């Protein structure tokens, strides 16, 4: 039986193979955040002569990329990217995700929005029938924490302030548990509309384009 880390290794390697046809001399690769994304970065470094640079969704990933000799561009310098590769905390059959367990959700959503394709990489423990068992992270403007928390309670959620954590953008995170989502896109729209919410960790309105899932039986591709 493969460990979770071995499964993550497997899918990280598969992701580098998957994006190879999209690489080229002027290409910028969008790179996500998290332990699976870290392993992807490590494998990507072996192919750094095949693309121009990366755009990263966190300071952490930017540092790892730069440390491996991959140039990192500010997103304002990037016109577009063929692929964005990132992990997820949960993903359903429609390729809708909950992300932000690592706290990088805002930059993840921004970088993903500039890419033509979102390639989700995960081990099979992340695949769910319904999103919501994993608490939905909300990046919130500091003065709005209590107002947003009250609003989440009226929606039936159970918000908890993530202790001792501030995002790369200088904001706190509320983790909202208690939902089992039939319509994740609708909930994302509702959460996006609450004043003070910077970003909601539901990636349902714009789901992944493809998911590469490492399982004990081998690699599974979900489209
Ligand atoms: C990021 O890293 C997230 O949005 C998610 O929170 C996390 C995935 O976790 P890991 O790859 O560490 O299992 O992609």
């Amino acid at each position: 039986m493969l460990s979770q880390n071995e499964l993550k290794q497997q899918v990280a390697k598969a992701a580098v193979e998957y994006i190879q046809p999209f690489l080229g001399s002027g290409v910028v690769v969008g790179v996500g955040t998290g332990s699976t994304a870290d392993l992807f970065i490590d494998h990507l470094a072996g192919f750094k002569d095949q693309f121009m640079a990366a755009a990263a969704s966190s300071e952490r990933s930017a540092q790892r990329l730069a440390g491996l000799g991959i140039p990192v561009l500010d997103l304002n310098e990037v016109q577009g990217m063929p692929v964005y590769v990132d992990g997820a905390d949960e993903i359903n059959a429609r390729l809708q995700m909950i992300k932000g367990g690592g706290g990088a959700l805002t930059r993840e959503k921004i970088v993903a929005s500039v890419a033509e394709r979102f390639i989700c990489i995960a081990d099979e423990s992340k695949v769910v029938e319904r999103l919501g068992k994993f608490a939905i992270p909300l990046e919130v403007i500091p003065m709005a924490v209590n107002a947003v928390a009250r609003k989440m309670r009226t929606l039936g959620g159970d918000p908890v302030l993530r202790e001792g954590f501030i995002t790369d953008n200088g904001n706190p995170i509320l983790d909202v548990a208690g939902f089992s989502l039939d319509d994740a896109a609708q909930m994302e729209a509702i959460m996006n509309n609450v004043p003070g919410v910077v970003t909601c960790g539901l990636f349902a309105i714009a789901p992944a384009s493809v998911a590469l899932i490492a399982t004990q039986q081998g690699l599974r591709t979900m489209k």
Side-chain angles (χ1 to χ4, degrees):
M1 177 137 165
L2 296 169
S3 68
Q4 191 178 28
N5 191 54
E6 286 168 327
L7 291 172
K8 287 181 181 186
Q9 281 284 1
Q10 195 182 84
V11 78
K13 190 161 177 266
V16 175
E17 283 162 25
Y18 186 90
I19 67 164
Q20 218 133 43
F22 303 106
L23 300 181
S25 54
V27 167
V28 178
V29 177
V31 177
T33 300
S35 61
T36 318
D38 279 349
L39 297 171
F40 168 72
I41 292 169
D42 296 348
H43 284 288
L44 188 65
F47 298 80
K48 63 184 171 199
D49 53 336
Q50 292 184 29
F51 59 98
M52 182 176 75
S57 67
S58 62
E59 301 295 341
R60 161 186 163 168
S61 290
Q63 276 174 19
R64 195 175 187 98
L65 287 157
L68 290 166
I70 299 173
V72 181
L73 295 178
D74 183 284
L75 193 67
N76 284 309
E77 300 170 65
V78 178
Q79 305 285 335
M81 322 172 227
V83 291
Y84 173 72
V85 181
D86 199 0
D89 298 306
E90 283 186 351
I91 182 164
N92 68 15
R94 300 168 72 179
L95 307 189
Q96 299 171 318
M97 298 164 283
I98 292 179
K99 292 175 50 55
L105 62 162
T106 297
R107 295 189 186 198
E108 289 173 354
K109 213 173 250 193
I110 294 169
V111 181
S113 76
V114 176
E116 284 163 43
R117 299 166 193 80
F118 186 132
I119 320 294
C120 177
I121 52 173
D123 66 88
E124 58 191 341
S125 70
K126 307 292 183 70
V127 180
V128 297
E129 205 167 310
R130 265 169 192 246
L131 298 176
K133 196 164 178 197
F134 191 95
I136 301 166
L138 297 181
E139 181 165 349
V140 175
I141 295 290
M143 69 171 286
V145 165
N146 288 342
V148 172
R150 281 194 296 275
K151 181 70 184 167
M152 289 306 120
R153 282 189 207 102
T154 67
L155 291 172
D158 179 16
V160 174
L161 183 65
R162 197 178 294 183
E163 285 297 331
F165 186 86
I166 293 294
T167 69
D168 283 351
N169 314 306
N171 296 312
I173 286 192
L174 282 173
D175 290 301
V176 189
F179 293 116
S180 175
L181 298 174
D182 281 326
D183 189 341
Q186 186 188 44
M187 181 58 87
E188 182 180 359
I190 291 169
M191 288 176 160
N192 282 344
N193 251 337
V194 176
V197 171
V198 177
T199 305
C200 151
L202 284 167
F203 286 54
I205 295 169
S209 320
V210 62
L212 305 178
I213 307 293
T215 78
Q216 293 294 339
Q217 290 74 40
L219 191 80
R220 176 174 162 213
T221 303
M222 291 164 60
K223 282 186 182 172

